[in-house]
Amino acid sequence: MLLLAMDTATPAVTVALHDGEAVVASSSQVDARRHGELLLPAVDRVLKEAGLTLDAVTGLVVGVGPGPYTGLRVGLVTAAAFSSALAVPVHGLCTLDGLAYASGIDEPFAVATDARRKEVYWARYDDSRTRVGDAAVDRPADIAERLAGLPVVGAGARLYPDAFPDARDPGHQSAAALAGLAAERLAAGGEGFLDPLPMYLRRPDAQVPKNYKVVTPK
């Protein structure tokens, strides 16, 4: 097994290789505006570090979000292109699940990432491997009471300390954690994966104008 994992649903552009036992190589850069520019060089970098070529990959793992429209699609489209070229499967995972897995917390907690518009993408967990319910998007103040007393992992927790006073690491997504979670699920029979399709939870920030300005001469 050699899994190539990637996630661009958050400001972190993150890539990792996992051989089924451990992470072979990984790369993470935090830049919310350069997902398309940074992802393929990161793939090249981890392959070079591992001394491998792309055709050695036997499966792909991709974070499906939730996340903003443009950045999220970069990872999904890249994974789909690699899958087609290599004829290997793509395993989708919720981005929040990767952060939860990386936390290693073995008690109830939550994960929150920055959704912009003064909102967070979030989900609750019984432990680092078990999500409770679906991911959602809300204003921090609207869910603060529901998450009171729980540790909250992720950059969203650090952005809104009044709502989430017990912020925990990691702050950013790691493809290494996403790959580790995928390897565990594959070893257990391959259950728990999502279709590699974007999880948006809301409409994109960019909107088509409702009323077009007339620019042609009368």
Side-chain angles (χ1 to χ4, degrees), residues 31-208:
D31 192 326
R33 298 181 181 274
R34 299 173 64 209
H35 295 88
E37 180 181 343
L38 296 175
L39 182 58
L40 288 179
V43 171
D44 288 341
R45 191 159 52 248
V46 298
L47 287 168
K48 183 177 181 181
E49 180 181 338
L52 298 167
T53 57
L54 188 60
D55 58 8
V57 170
T58 62
L60 294 141
V61 181
V62 64
V64 302
Y69 183 86
T70 304
L72 174 56
R73 290 183 67 86
V74 170
L76 286 163
V77 169
T78 302
F82 285 163
S83 173
S84 178
L86 300 171
V88 298
V90 184
H91 307 289
L93 286 173
C94 175
T95 293
L96 303 181
D97 289 358
L99 282 157
Y101 183 79
S103 76
I105 297 174
D106 60 2
E107 62 185 2
F109 69 103
V111 173
T113 61
D114 182 17
R116 304 174 186 172
R117 302 186 193 176
K118 298 181 180 180
E119 295 178 329
V120 293
Y121 297 118
W122 68 281
R124 292 185 62 154
Y125 292 80
D126 278 341
D127 54 54
S128 61
R129 293 172 172 81
T130 311
R131 177 160 38 90
V132 181
D134 296 327
V137 58
D138 287 288
R139 290 183 176 273
D142 294 340
I143 58 173
E145 186 174 344
R146 295 165 63 184
L147 302 183
L150 294 180
V152 183
V153 170
R158 300 193 181 282
L159 281 173
Y160 303 101
D162 290 342
F164 312 121
D166 188 4
R168 302 282 183 92
D169 289 332
H172 293 289
Q173 174 68 308
S174 161
L178 205 68
L181 177 59
E184 281 192 9
R185 291 186 177 179
L186 286 169
E191 298 294 326
F193 291 107
L194 303 173
D195 291 335
L197 300 172
M199 184 190 298
Y200 292 128
L201 301 187
R202 70 180 186 204
R203 296 177 64 83
D205 292 334
Q207 299 289 328
V208 176

Side-chain angles (χ1 to χ4, degrees), residues 203 206-213:
R203 296 177 64 83
Q207 299 289 328
V208 176
K210 294 182 179 178
N211 298 307
Y212 291 94
K213 182 178 179 180

